[in-house]
Amino acid sequence: MRVHKLFRKTRFSFFALFGVIVLSVSFLSIRTVSRELDEEYVSNSRSIAKNIADSSVDMLLNRNLATLQSLIDQFVEIESIRYIYITSDTGEFLAHTFVPGIPEEILASDPSSTETVERSLPGLGDFIEVGSPILSGVAGNVHVGMDKELLGLKIQRAVGQQMYLFGIILVIGTLLSFWFVSFSARPLADLMAFAVNLAGDGKATGEEDVLGRDDEVGELARLFTHVADGSARGDEGT
Amino acid sequence: MKQSKPGTTGGTPPPTPTPPTITRRSLIGSGLAALAAAPWAKASGEVPRPGAAPHVRRGLPQDDEIVLGVSCAFSGPSRGLGTELYRGSMAYFNQLNENGGVNGRRIVMKLLDDGYQPDPCVANTIELMQDERVFLLFNYVGTPTVTRALPVLKTFRDQQMFLFFPFTGAEPQREPPYDEFAFNLRASYRQETAGLVDNFVNIGRRRVAVFYQNDAYGRSGWAGVREALARHGETIAGEATYTRGTQYSASMRAQVEILLDRAPDAVICIGAYQACGAFARDAVDLGLHIPVANVSFVGSENMLQLLQGESSDPNSHTRWLVNSQVVPSYEDTSLPAVQEYRELMAQYDPPPPDNVERITPNEAYETFPQSFVSLEGFVNAKLIAEIIRRMGSDPQRSGIEEAVFNVRNYDLGVGERVSFGPNRRQGLQRVYYTVVEGDRFVPLTDWEASFGMP
């Protein structure tokens, strides 16, 4: 029994180490995935905004707002893009995808700014908004809003997959640790039984098994026998 | 109103059997493959069915036929528009074909349903051009669909394909770079909205708001209102939108409340009959008691049917309606084309097409004896037949433009003469205004008396 107590510490160390690895890898992974997805989303959205800005110059100059609307309607079909709006150089909203109307928060914002901003629109959700100027802003600006919830879901999915993998490793590791502990403990248990018997009546059972081993357990058994023999000779001499 | 029934078009002989169509189904690139896979993509390959309309194409063109390719809404919330436009055209073509057709050739229509959705319309247009080998495209319905089909015509410009008389007043097919691929008969939304704004401003209703379908069609009308108001030194007083395909059962409370906050004197709606009907209903119910105008695309009779169908007081939701039209009233029998239209509609009473996929069998549609939409389909058919007649016995696409440009001062019988030219690709310019009286829309004669400020 004492032998198993000894290996409890090994098991505890194993799980503690695994926990540290899982936590640190998960933390790093969440940060990395989040940052990279975030950057990718923003980068893609900037590309889309720039694409719309480049494509819309002629439409704006020709007052062809129907085609402009048709253009942004196609882009808003992309999964992560939730809204697009185009403002003129004077800040007038020339085309947008909002239903039932343009949110007050967006009406109140500076339409000439193309900085990346985070928005929380009541009833709609949380968004990252990027912008791109049309003809350096003299013809207007394009703004593209990406759904942060969808981004969060993608991060969760990516991290969830990692956790699933860690879970499988943990189960396999636990089974292996049990097997390893019981495999390692068996010679020690034999040695302990040998020593107990030796200390009792001086006749150990399983003597040949333990004494015949060529490892440290065998050496200890032989040492115990030698000590026991020496002790017996001392007793006889007194 | 009359319940639709499958069967032959009244008074017409049974169709000449033609073999089932086997289309090539060739796909042009992987993108088109995806489009072609859309559920609306195809309604060809039909086997002729007993009782089917005889002047609807079911196979590849025959020598004695001229095939017009049609992609429009025969299903979904805007099916009434495609169906009535088709019925009006069929009334004319039935009579024409029974009397020998045009220069000995029957005019038939190849019908594909796009459900008023852009991608199916693109796929249908490619199919009509590549597989069905139609002579020209005709009677398309809607701005979001047409604006996406126009680049297809430009892509295949070597085929010299033209789109005739689309049921939309939007600008894209009236302006470069796509104007050279289309001929319009009706007045534009810019003209309709300008007329509405001018009349509202004239009676002191200067704060005009817009309720519109949030797509190319709505934006086209929105732009028209904006321009017209700018000429009066005004801006749009408020705006609210809805999503294309919204049904009459949907609530428009949010939209009405947005506009109530802006306290407009009038609202101009740029939408389809289901959503605009819902808006008109909720506007009255929520106390927005101001004129609510609709442009011609709305489908006046379809909207009226919805608004009057459910209420104990049929006119409770229609008091404030004023709809612009691009054809004269079908009640105006002083006009020869209206007389002819009424006679032929009564004679043939064309049923809705029964050879278009995705029309659920139990989705009954009630046709109208007359309507502004079917009258437009009728005059469209009348003019296209005249243009084909002018092309002689062996019409070629290369001769289409010349034939159209030869239409000068042509009396179509609608009280306004039609002219086309290289810089004039829209035949009619006039806009009419109507209000509800009883169970129909009648001409509006006095704006001040009907909608003057209190």
Side-chain angles (χ1 to χ4, degrees), chain A residues 115-223:
Chain A
E115 294 291 312
T116 300
V117 292
E118 295 203 2
R119 290 193 189 284
S120 185
L121 303 176
L124 294 176
D126 296 326
F127 303 90
I128 299 172
E129 185 180 300
V130 299
S132 182
I134 305 169
L135 275 184
S136 299
V138 296
N141 295 284
V142 177
H143 303 263
V144 174
M146 292 165 303
D147 192 345
K148 276 186 74 177
E149 281 178 25
L150 192 65
L151 188 64
L153 276 176
K154 291 204 175 212
I155 292 168
Q156 275 180 22
R157 198 180 305 154
V159 173
Q161 284 171 346
Q162 283 190 346
M163 297 308 286
Y164 180 70
L165 183 65
F166 283 136
I168 291 172
I169 292 171
L170 178 65
V171 169
I172 293 171
T174 303
L175 293 174
L176 282 176
S177 75
F178 273 104
W179 175 82
F180 176 76
V181 165
S182 73
F183 176 79
S184 304
R186 196 176 304 131
L188 287 179
D190 290 345
L191 178 64
M192 190 190 261
F194 172 79
V196 167
N197 288 333
L198 197 62
D201 54 12
K203 292 180 181 178
T205 56
E207 190 175 330
E208 287 176 2
D209 281 351
V210 180
L211 289 174
R213 295 181 69 97
D214 59 354
D215 54 12
E216 291 82 352
V217 172
E219 281 178 22
L220 273 174
R222 286 189 288 277
L223 185 62

Side-chain angles (χ1 to χ4, degrees), chain B residues 39-40 72-83 112-117 120 141 245 247 273-274 353 356-360 363 365:
Chain B
W40 298 274
C72 70
F74 292 115
S75 65
S78 297
R79 66 178 290 206
L81 303 178
T83 303
L112 297 178
D113 177 37
D114 58 36
Y116 189 38
Q117 295 296 332
V141 169
Q247 302 272 358
Y273 60 87
Q274 297 245 11
V356 184
E357 288 183 0
R358 294 195 74 249
I359 291 181
T360 313
E363 192 183 348
Y365 175 79

Side-chain angles (χ1 to χ4, degrees), chain B residues 298-311:
Chain B
V298 79
S300 295
E301 288 75 17
N302 295 94
M303 185 169 75
L304 195 58
Q305 185 184 29
L306 291 171
L307 285 170
Q308 294 189 330
E310 64 170 17
S311 176

